[in-house]
């Protein structure tokens, strides 16, 4: 069984910064998606977005994708299915609950990731990492939560959070630098297929204006193809829990871009919640440097994965 390898401090640092950049790109899409789904049904938008991403990635990375073995193809298919179903469930949940509540429930993957790692892969999670998870969760709640009701929307969104956590754990477990490009391409293809199936009942609706197409292409190429490759490569060098804590910055960036470009007002909740999430990331960052830069993850696992590297 192939496991992800965590390189020396330089690789870990580069991977962390790359994942922060990916999270910033994802955060920049929130106000774009909000406007776009007023005109294009969510499942249709997702199918077109990842369909474009998959085609572009296969054209660019055809050789690397075709070079994947059966094991990597199976892994890519499972990863894509997890992410695709999570996207559909999250979108369905948004139809039945407030976006702020959905944002917090989705963000619980920060907590669910180490829990799934401990249950499924027997990871031992250190006290410092649990503290970082707690800080990130409180920060997400301060940023997003405006009261909580329990219903179908919340249940669907929580299900998507479990799948996102499972995707992070599986990606950290099986992604390798050598297979990252091919795996990302296979994932994009499967995500497009899953979302396409969800879009079939109502027929496929396309964007109607140049502005809508521009937003969709940005989300397909930058927040889709590029971000999916970057996440896959970065998680070949990071543990799942570390990646989840870094990606908890997404609502922070979402709030930043909403204020900068979306016309929203800066609030104390944004400042406090953002500060807590950033503090969590720095806490895990300071405790994650391998003692031996040349050691593999199995020989010298980071603080976040003392039993199995994921």
């Amino acid at each position: 069984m192939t496991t992800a390898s965590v390189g020396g401090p330089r690789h870990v640092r580069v991977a962390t910064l790359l994942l922060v950049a990916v999270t910033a790109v994802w955060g920049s899409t929130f106000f774009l998606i909000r406007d776009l789904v007023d005109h294009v049904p969510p499942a249709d938008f997702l199918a077109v977005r990842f369909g474009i991403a998959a085609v572009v990635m296969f054209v660019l990375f055809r050789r690397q994708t075709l070079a994947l073995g059966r094991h990597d193809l199976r892994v890519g298919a499972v990863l894509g299915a997890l992410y695709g179903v999570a996207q559909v469930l999250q979108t369905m949940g948004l139809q039945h609950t407030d976006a702020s509540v959905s944002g917090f429930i989705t963000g619980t993957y920060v907590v669910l990731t180490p829990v799934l790692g401990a249950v499924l892969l027997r990871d031992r999670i250190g006290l410092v990492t649990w503290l970082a998870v707690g800080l990130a969760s409180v920060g997400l709640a301060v940023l997003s939560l405006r009261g909580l009701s329990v219903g179908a929307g919340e249940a669907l969104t929580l299900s998507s959070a479990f799948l996102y956590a499972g995707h992070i754990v599986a990606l950290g477990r099986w992604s390798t630098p050598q297979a990252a490009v091919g795996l990302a391409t296979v994932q994009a293809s499967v995500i497009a297929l899953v979302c396409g199936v969800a879009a079939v009942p109502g027929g496929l609706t396309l964007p109607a204006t140049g502005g809508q197409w521009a937003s969709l292409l940005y989300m397909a190429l930058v927040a889709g193809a590029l971000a999916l490759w970057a996440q896959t490569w970065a998680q070949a060098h990071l543990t799942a829990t570390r990646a989840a804590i870094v990606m908890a910055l997404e609502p922070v960036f979402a709030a930043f871009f909403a204020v900068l470009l979306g016309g929203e007002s800066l609030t104390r909740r944004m400042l406090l919640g953002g500060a807590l999430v950033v503090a969590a990331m720095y806490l895990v960052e300071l405790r994650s440097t391998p003692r031996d830069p040349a050691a593999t993850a199995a020989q010298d696992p980071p603080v976040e994965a003392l039993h199995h590297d994921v």
Side-chain angles (χ1 to χ4, degrees):
M1 181 180 296
T2 304
T3 58
S5 61
V6 178
R10 180 178 177 275
H11 282 98
V12 172
R13 192 173 301 112
V14 170
T16 301
L17 291 174
L18 186 59
L19 201 55
V20 169
V22 168
T23 305
V25 168
W26 285 338
S28 72
T29 65
F30 274 67
F31 74 97
L32 295 174
I33 292 174
R34 182 185 58 195
D35 294 335
L36 189 58
V37 295
D38 287 338
H39 305 91
V40 181
D44 299 30
F45 151 69
L46 291 171
V48 176
R49 172 188 175 183
F50 285 104
I52 293 172
V55 170
V56 170
M57 292 176 75
F58 186 76
V59 169
L60 293 176
F61 308 124
R62 181 176 179 274
R63 180 177 58 83
Q64 296 93 326
T65 304
L66 294 177
L68 292 176
R70 290 184 179 180
H71 172 77
D72 287 330
L73 287 172
R74 288 195 298 268
V75 168
V78 170
L79 290 170
L82 284 172
Y83 196 93
V85 175
Q87 287 271 308
V88 173
L89 289 176
Q90 183 183 14
T91 303
M92 291 172 59
L94 270 170
Q95 297 176 331
H96 303 285
T97 189
D98 292 338
S100 57
V101 176
S102 175
F104 172 66
I105 296 175
T106 301
T108 57
Y109 67 73
V110 176
V111 178
L112 296 173
T113 297
V115 170
L116 286 180
V119 172
L120 300 177
L121 303 177
R122 295 181 296 155
D123 294 338
R124 284 209 306 259
I125 309 300
L127 179 61
V128 171
T129 299
W130 281 120
L131 178 59
V133 167
L135 278 175
S137 300
V138 173
L140 288 168
V142 172
L143 275 168
S144 306
L145 201 57
R146 306 288 193 277
L148 181 63
S149 59
V150 178
E154 289 75 24
L156 288 168
T157 308
L158 184 59
S159 298
S160 75
F162 268 102
L163 291 177
Y164 283 132
H167 179 264
I168 294 170
V169 170
L171 189 59
R173 176 74 174 183
W174 286 297
S175 176
T176 63
Q178 296 77 16
V181 170
L183 276 179
T185 304
V186 174
Q187 285 183 79
S189 303
V190 175
I191 294 169
L193 178 62
V194 170
C195 296
V197 170
V200 165
L204 189 63
T205 301
L206 298 175
T209 68
Q212 292 172 17
W213 273 110
S215 296
L216 191 146
L217 288 173
Y218 169 74
M219 286 181 278
L221 301 178
V222 180
L226 182 61
L228 194 56
W229 165 80
Q231 182 193 5
T232 303
W233 184 88
Q235 283 203 243
H237 300 277
L238 301 173
T239 60
T241 299
R242 178 187 177 88
I245 291 172
V246 172
M247 287 188 285
L249 285 169
E250 183 176 355
V252 179
F253 284 117
F256 170 78
F257 285 109
V259 171
L260 183 66
L261 301 175
E264 296 188 15
S265 300
L266 183 65
T267 65
R268 292 180 180 177
R269 292 175 69 99
M270 290 182 185
L271 292 172
L272 177 59
L276 288 171
V277 173
V278 172
M281 195 193 74
Y282 271 99
L283 182 62
V284 76
E285 169 74 14
L286 292 174
R287 291 297 303 272
S288 62
T289 303
R291 292 182 295 275
D292 180 2
T296 65
Q299 295 166 337
D300 186 10
V303 173
E304 301 89 354
L306 293 177
H307 189 76
H308 284 88
D309 174 50
V310 296

